[in-house]
mmCIF file of all heavy atoms in Angstrom:
data_model
loop_
_atom_site.group_PDB
_atom_site.id
_atom_site.type_symbol
_atom_site.label_atom_id
_atom_site.label_comp_id
_atom_site.label_asym_id
_atom_site.label_seq_id
_atom_site.Cartn_x
_atom_site.Cartn_y
_atom_site.Cartn_z
ATOM 1 N N SER A 900 -76.390 -21.708 -114.535
ATOM 2 C CA SER A 900 -76.028 -22.970 -115.168
ATOM 3 C C SER A 900 -76.172 -24.126 -114.154
ATOM 4 O O SER A 900 -76.760 -25.128 -114.465
ATOM 5 C CB SER A 900 -74.608 -22.958 -115.627
ATOM 6 O OG SER A 900 -74.248 -24.195 -116.184
ATOM 7 N N ASN A 901 -75.736 -23.905 -112.915
ATOM 8 C CA ASN A 901 -75.880 -24.905 -111.886
ATOM 9 C C ASN A 901 -77.374 -25.228 -111.620
ATOM 10 O O ASN A 901 -77.798 -26.346 -111.376
ATOM 11 C CB ASN A 901 -75.159 -24.540 -110.620
ATOM 12 C CG ASN A 901 -73.693 -24.477 -110.804
ATOM 13 O OD1 ASN A 901 -73.160 -25.135 -111.621
ATOM 14 N ND2 ASN A 901 -72.972 -23.696 -109.949
ATOM 15 N N SER A 902 -78.169 -24.125 -111.622
ATOM 16 C CA SER A 902 -79.594 -24.285 -111.342
ATOM 17 C C SER A 902 -80.195 -25.145 -112.450
ATOM 18 O O SER A 902 -81.016 -25.983 -112.244
ATOM 19 C CB SER A 902 -80.231 -22.864 -111.329
ATOM 20 O OG SER A 902 -81.628 -22.988 -111.149
ATOM 21 N N ASP A 903 -79.773 -24.848 -113.788
ATOM 22 C CA ASP A 903 -80.298 -25.592 -114.816
ATOM 23 C C ASP A 903 -79.954 -27.037 -114.742
ATOM 24 O O ASP A 903 -80.815 -27.952 -114.970
ATOM 25 C CB ASP A 903 -79.825 -25.065 -116.224
ATOM 26 C CG ASP A 903 -80.406 -23.674 -116.511
ATOM 27 O OD1 ASP A 903 -81.425 -23.367 -115.877
ATOM 28 O OD2 ASP A 903 -79.845 -22.972 -117.291
ATOM 29 N N THR A 904 -78.618 -27.299 -114.374
ATOM 30 C CA THR A 904 -78.178 -28.653 -114.217
ATOM 31 C C THR A 904 -78.912 -29.449 -113.137
ATOM 32 O O THR A 904 -79.327 -30.588 -113.274
ATOM 33 C CB THR A 904 -76.669 -28.722 -113.862
ATOM 34 O OG1 THR A 904 -76.034 -28.077 -114.907
ATOM 35 C CG2 THR A 904 -76.235 -30.178 -113.731
ATOM 36 N N SER A 905 -79.212 -28.662 -111.970
ATOM 37 C CA SER A 905 -79.980 -29.290 -110.883
ATOM 38 C C SER A 905 -81.393 -29.564 -111.354
ATOM 39 O O SER A 905 -81.919 -30.620 -111.070
ATOM 40 C CB SER A 905 -80.003 -28.245 -109.732
ATOM 41 O OG SER A 905 -80.780 -28.756 -108.703
ATOM 42 N N ASP A 906 -81.992 -28.632 -112.126
ATOM 43 C CA ASP A 906 -83.395 -28.910 -112.586
ATOM 44 C C ASP A 906 -83.402 -30.120 -113.452
ATOM 45 O O ASP A 906 -84.274 -30.984 -113.420
ATOM 46 C CB ASP A 906 -83.890 -27.703 -113.363
ATOM 47 C CG ASP A 906 -84.190 -26.521 -112.468
ATOM 48 O OD1 ASP A 906 -84.281 -26.714 -111.219
ATOM 49 O OD2 ASP A 906 -84.282 -25.398 -112.939
ATOM 50 N N ASN A 907 -82.380 -30.268 -114.392
ATOM 51 C CA ASN A 907 -82.272 -31.399 -115.308
ATOM 52 C C ASN A 907 -82.077 -32.714 -114.480
ATOM 53 O O ASN A 907 -82.735 -33.721 -114.866
ATOM 54 C CB ASN A 907 -81.098 -31.273 -116.263
ATOM 55 C CG ASN A 907 -81.382 -30.147 -117.306
ATOM 56 O OD1 ASN A 907 -82.561 -29.841 -117.558
ATOM 57 N ND2 ASN A 907 -80.338 -29.636 -117.884
ATOM 58 N N ASN A 908 -81.280 -32.653 -113.465
ATOM 59 C CA ASN A 908 -81.031 -33.834 -112.598
ATOM 60 C C ASN A 908 -82.331 -34.295 -111.952
ATOM 61 O O ASN A 908 -82.718 -35.430 -111.824
ATOM 62 C CB ASN A 908 -79.954 -33.619 -111.593
ATOM 63 C CG ASN A 908 -78.585 -33.491 -112.237
ATOM 64 O OD1 ASN A 908 -78.409 -34.023 -113.325
ATOM 65 N ND2 ASN A 908 -77.665 -32.872 -111.548
ATOM 66 N N ASN A 909 -83.056 -33.222 -111.370
ATOM 67 C CA ASN A 909 -84.366 -33.491 -110.736
ATOM 68 C C ASN A 909 -85.370 -34.057 -111.701
ATOM 69 O O ASN A 909 -86.083 -34.974 -111.376
ATOM 70 C CB ASN A 909 -84.910 -32.132 -110.116
ATOM 71 C CG ASN A 909 -84.118 -31.714 -108.912
ATOM 72 O OD1 ASN A 909 -83.449 -32.509 -108.255
ATOM 73 N ND2 ASN A 909 -84.240 -30.424 -108.627
ATOM 74 N N THR A 910 -85.336 -33.548 -112.921
ATOM 75 C CA THR A 910 -86.291 -34.138 -113.962
ATOM 76 C C THR A 910 -85.960 -35.574 -114.287
ATOM 77 O O THR A 910 -86.797 -36.383 -114.338
ATOM 78 C CB THR A 910 -86.207 -33.237 -115.276
ATOM 79 O OG1 THR A 910 -86.539 -31.935 -114.980
ATOM 80 C CG2 THR A 910 -87.134 -33.841 -116.304
ATOM 81 N N ASP A 911 -84.593 -35.845 -114.430
ATOM 82 C CA ASP A 911 -84.189 -37.204 -114.704
ATOM 83 C C ASP A 911 -84.579 -38.146 -113.577
ATOM 84 O O ASP A 911 -85.096 -39.250 -113.738
ATOM 85 C CB ASP A 911 -82.666 -37.271 -114.958
ATOM 86 C CG ASP A 911 -82.311 -36.546 -116.239
ATOM 87 O OD1 ASP A 911 -83.255 -36.425 -117.106
ATOM 88 O OD2 ASP A 911 -81.127 -36.236 -116.401
ATOM 89 N N ALA A 912 -84.396 -37.615 -112.344
ATOM 90 C CA ALA A 912 -84.749 -38.415 -111.186
ATOM 91 C C ALA A 912 -86.222 -38.676 -111.120
ATOM 92 O O ALA A 912 -86.641 -39.791 -110.810
ATOM 93 C CB ALA A 912 -84.325 -37.725 -109.866
ATOM 94 N N ASN A 913 -87.020 -37.676 -111.427
ATOM 95 C CA ASN A 913 -88.484 -37.810 -111.414
ATOM 96 C C ASN A 913 -88.932 -38.879 -112.427
ATOM 97 O O ASN A 913 -89.757 -39.717 -112.169
ATOM 98 C CB ASN A 913 -89.204 -36.528 -111.617
ATOM 99 C CG ASN A 913 -89.060 -35.640 -110.369
ATOM 100 O OD1 ASN A 913 -88.783 -36.004 -109.324
ATOM 101 N ND2 ASN A 913 -89.164 -34.255 -110.683
ATOM 102 N N GLU A 914 -88.242 -38.770 -113.677
ATOM 103 C CA GLU A 914 -88.606 -39.662 -114.633
ATOM 104 C C GLU A 914 -88.260 -41.116 -114.298
ATOM 105 O O GLU A 914 -88.986 -42.020 -114.563
ATOM 106 C CB GLU A 914 -87.892 -39.252 -115.974
ATOM 107 C CG GLU A 914 -88.524 -37.966 -116.631
ATOM 108 C CD GLU A 914 -87.736 -37.596 -117.885
ATOM 109 O OE1 GLU A 914 -86.714 -38.251 -118.159
ATOM 110 O OE2 GLU A 914 -88.177 -36.655 -118.557
#
Side-chain angles (χ1 to χ4, degrees):
S900 176
N901 291 336
S902 176
D903 291 342
T904 302
S905 176
D906 290 341
N907 289 335
N908 290 338
N909 289 336
T910 299
D911 292 341
N913 290 336
E914 289 178 353

